[in-house]
């Protein structure tokens, strides 16, 4: 199923969804709000951050995501997108708030619950409530049950003549750095709670989506997103484990994987300094917490990837055991290349752990997509931001932690004589590895 094919169909659907409230204007919520608004829907963006609300109302984006700024600026200029701190009446509510994990690796659903509390008072019946936040199986049902508990005058099935509110789960499946492309082209998984909810959600997403609408129940939709990222996590764990084995055996792991991947049924992913971001580093734990007795493979993969930063730290610091005050350049802090998102970033964790372990060392951090350190590194006296030129000129060691395109401009001649740790296979093997 593709986007609406005629102006008549477009008008009919946008009339059905006269206004959409997007709760949470972060890496998923704001692109969703912008693409809906650019397709003629009146969108109200809601966020708890006054800074974010003010930025959006100026037509600005408070984080790095290619092409998003054009859509936000255009939607605001057309009067189709506005942001505010409070929830108001709408025909559709899309919840796109964070779902971090707690100390025991179970999901923290407090942001979803807070959104539900704010939505419940303004419902009248007939609205569609969509949960986009990545969630453990059963979360959308809990969301619906909570709202029904505080609004007994509403229902999921029209019982006792009470107006119906529709609930669905539609997990985001986009790649940071390519969100504005993939939000349109990717297939959508639509999981309904009550009758008619999935069909209604499909009609909404067809306003802008060229992908197929894969309708199912909510629990299957929730689990599908977790499974997609768990598949990648397990594959990355294999690559990371191979990188350690290869290092011990004197083998170039990138050449090894490239050769192995020439087999027609083998596709090993690339190793790195660990796994970060709010998806692959988090989602597998939601499956483990849902059924801890039957997920030993998923748990082990997570443990392998969580342990990789420790291996990188030992590799970086190995030449300086017993010596004093090395200067170490750390290239990159984001969890993936060419963005500024540092959520669960192994690069941040590596720098922080090294700085605390070697208080006599100086750490020059180069991050070309931000001009400030993340909160995890603030207050560490031996860590500061530096330019590429300063870091390369000053450092005894260079650790490439994120493969930003900007770092491809580095003249590898400048690395001669330095201890180089390349966690991404970025440079030729005679430079590092």
């Amino acid at each position: 199923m593709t986007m609406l094919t005629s102006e008549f169909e477009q008008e009919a659907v946008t009339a059905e969804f006269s206004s959409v409230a997007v709760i949470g204007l972060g890496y998923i919520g704001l692109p969703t709000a912008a693409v809906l608004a650019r397709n003629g829907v009146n969108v109200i963006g809601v966020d708890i951050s006054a800074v974010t609300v003010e930025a959006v109302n100026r037509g600005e984006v408070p984080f790095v995501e290619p092409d998003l700024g054009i859509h936000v600026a255009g939607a605001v200029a057309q009067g189709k997108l506005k942001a505010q701190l409070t929830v108001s009446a709408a025909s559709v509510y899309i919840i796109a708030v964070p779902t971090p994990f707690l100390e025991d690796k179970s999901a923290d659903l407090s942001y979803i619950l807070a959104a539900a509390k704010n939505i419940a008072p303004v419902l009248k019946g007939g609205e569609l409530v969509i949960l986009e936040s990545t969630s453990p199986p059963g979360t959308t049902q809990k969301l619906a049950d909570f709202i029904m508990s505080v609004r007994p005058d509403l229902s999921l099935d029209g019982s006792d003549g009470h107006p119906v509110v529709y609930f669905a789960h539609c997990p985001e499946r986009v790649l940071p750095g390519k969100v504005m492309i993939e939000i349109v082209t990717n297939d959508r998984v639509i999981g309904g709670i009550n009758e008619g909810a999935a069909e209604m959600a499909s009609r909404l997403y067809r306003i802008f989506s060229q992908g197929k609408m894969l309708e199912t129940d909510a629990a299957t939709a929730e689990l599908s997103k977790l499974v997609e990222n768990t598949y990648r996590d397990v594959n990355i764990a294999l690559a990371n484990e191979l990188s350690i084995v290869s290092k011990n055996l004197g083998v170039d792991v990138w050449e090894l994987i490239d050769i192995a991947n020439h087999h027609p049924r083998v596709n090993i992913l690339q190793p790195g300094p660990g796994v970060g971001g709010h998806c692959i580093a988090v989602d597998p734990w939601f499956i483990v917490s849902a059924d801890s007795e039957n997920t030993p493979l998923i748990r082990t993969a997570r443990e392998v990837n969580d342990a990789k930063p420790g291996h990188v730290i030992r590799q970086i610091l190995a030449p300086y055991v017993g010596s004093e005050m090395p200067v170490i350049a750390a290239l990159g802090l984001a969890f993936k290349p060419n963005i500024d998102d540092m959520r669960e970033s192994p690069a941040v964790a590596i720098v922080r752990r090294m700085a605390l372990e070697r208080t006599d060392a100086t750490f020059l951090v180069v991050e070309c997509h931000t001009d400030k350190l993340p909160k995890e590194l603030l207050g560490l006296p031996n860590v500061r931001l530096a330019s590429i030129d300063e870091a390369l000129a000053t450092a005894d060691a260079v650790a490439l932690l994120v493969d930003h395109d900007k770092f491809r401009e580095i003249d590898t001649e400048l690395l001669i004589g330095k201890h180089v740790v390349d966690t991404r296979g970025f440079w030729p093997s005679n430079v590092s590895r």
Side-chain angles (χ1 to χ4, degrees):
M1 300 176 182
T2 59
M3 287 196 301
L4 302 176
T5 56
S6 72
E7 187 174 337
F8 176 79
E9 289 175 304
Q10 180 89 10
E11 291 176 354
V13 174
T14 52
E16 177 185 9
F17 305 113
S18 57
S19 61
V20 175
V22 178
I23 318 299
L25 296 177
Y27 293 92
I28 300 302
L30 186 53
T32 302
V35 76
L36 278 167
R38 290 286 273 175
N39 279 275
V41 178
N42 294 310
V43 180
I44 304 163
V46 182
D47 201 275
I48 60 173
S49 168
V51 172
T52 296
V53 167
E54 291 166 4
V56 172
N57 283 331
R58 292 193 302 268
E60 300 172 0
V61 177
F63 51 85
V64 175
E65 179 58 49
D67 300 324
L68 176 57
I70 297 172
H71 286 77
V72 171
V76 171
Q78 292 169 353
K80 289 296 184 178
L81 172 62
K82 65 177 182 178
Q84 57 192 46
L85 294 168
T86 58
V87 177
S88 54
S91 56
V92 179
Y93 298 88
I94 298 176
I95 301 173
V97 297
T99 47
F101 54 64
L102 301 168
E103 271 191 43
D104 65 356
K105 306 297 187 183
S106 63
D108 179 359
L109 303 181
S110 60
Y111 296 94
I112 294 176
L113 180 60
K117 288 179 178 177
N118 289 324
I119 291 170
V122 298
L123 294 174
K124 300 176 181 178
E127 298 94 343
L128 170 64
V129 179
I130 297 174
L131 179 61
E132 280 206 6
S133 303
T134 304
S135 311
T139 303
T140 310
Q141 185 66 58
K142 291 178 182 177
L143 168 69
D145 291 343
F146 172 80
I147 290 180
M148 292 301 102
S149 71
V150 298
R151 290 295 306 272
D153 56 316
L154 302 173
S155 73
L156 297 177
D157 57 5
S159 58
D160 299 324
H162 292 160
V164 175
V165 177
Y166 301 89
F167 291 86
H169 182 69
C170 182
E172 54 83 12
R173 305 165 82 207
V174 292
L175 184 68
K178 296 184 177 179
V179 170
M180 299 314 294
I181 296 172
E182 293 198 351
I183 201 171
V184 173
T185 59
N186 285 1
D187 297 341
R188 304 296 306 219
V189 178
I190 311 282
I193 286 290
N194 46 347
E195 185 176 355
E199 293 90 339
M200 189 182 296
S202 292
R203 290 197 299 275
L204 175 72
Y205 285 106
R206 285 195 200 106
I207 291 174
F208 63 85
S209 177
Q210 298 171 0
K212 294 179 181 178
M213 300 293 133
L214 307 175
E215 295 183 7
T216 182
D217 60 272
T220 301
E222 289 161 337
L223 190 56
S224 70
K225 171 62 184 297
L226 305 182
V227 167
E228 290 164 7
N229 284 323
T230 298
Y231 168 81
R232 290 178 55 79
D233 194 47
V234 172
N235 196 321
I236 294 170
L238 171 61
N240 279 336
E241 199 163 86
L242 287 174
S243 72
I244 297 168
V245 172
S246 297
K247 182 71 175 177
N248 292 338
L249 298 178
V251 172
D252 184 328
V253 68
W254 284 274
E255 181 184 6
L256 171 69
I257 290 174
D258 179 64
I259 290 172
N261 282 348
H262 276 74
H263 189 287
R265 289 175 293 282
V266 174
N267 183 25
I268 303 170
L269 299 180
Q270 297 296 301
V275 174
H278 187 62
C279 291
I280 299 177
V282 176
D283 295 358
W285 286 121
F286 292 172
I287 299 180
V288 173
S289 65
D291 190 354
S292 60
E293 291 185 6
N294 296 300
T295 48
L297 175 63
I298 298 172
R299 179 188 294 275
T300 299
R302 273 285 73 233
E303 291 170 347
V304 167
N305 288 331
D306 281 349
K308 187 64 188 296
H311 291 281
V312 173
I313 290 169
R314 288 190 289 275
Q315 190 177 354
I316 295 170
L317 297 181
Y320 308 107
V321 175
S323 65
E324 294 183 358
M325 298 185 67
V327 177
I328 298 173
L331 306 187
L333 288 178
F335 83 83
K336 68 182 296 291
N338 305 321
I339 63 171
D340 66 345
D341 191 345
M342 301 182 196
R343 290 176 295 175
E344 308 297 328
S345 172
V348 173
I350 286 168
V351 173
R352 176 176 172 79
R353 287 170 58 180
M354 288 195 299
L356 292 173
E357 181 177 334
R358 290 299 301 262
T359 56
D360 60 326
T362 298
F363 296 90
L364 303 179
V365 175
V366 181
E367 177 47 72
C368 39
H369 293 283
T370 185
D371 58 0
K372 57 185 178 181
L373 290 171
K375 64 181 184 300
E376 294 90 342
L377 302 181
L378 291 176
L380 295 175
N382 56 341
V383 178
R384 66 179 177 86
L385 286 172
S387 68
I388 294 177
D389 292 341
E390 179 192 0
L392 296 181
T394 308
D396 304 297
V398 177
L400 182 88
L401 302 177
V402 185
D403 45 339
H404 290 315
D405 286 344
K406 183 69 175 176
F407 297 148
R408 296 190 184 278
E409 301 173 9
I410 293 174
D411 181 357
T412 55
E413 293 291 320
L414 299 174
L415 303 175
I416 295 174
K418 300 181 186 297
H419 173 51
V420 178
V421 176
D422 178 0
T423 69
R424 298 300 307 174
F426 203 63
W427 291 313
S429 57
N430 62 335
V431 174
S432 180
R433 307 192 200 177

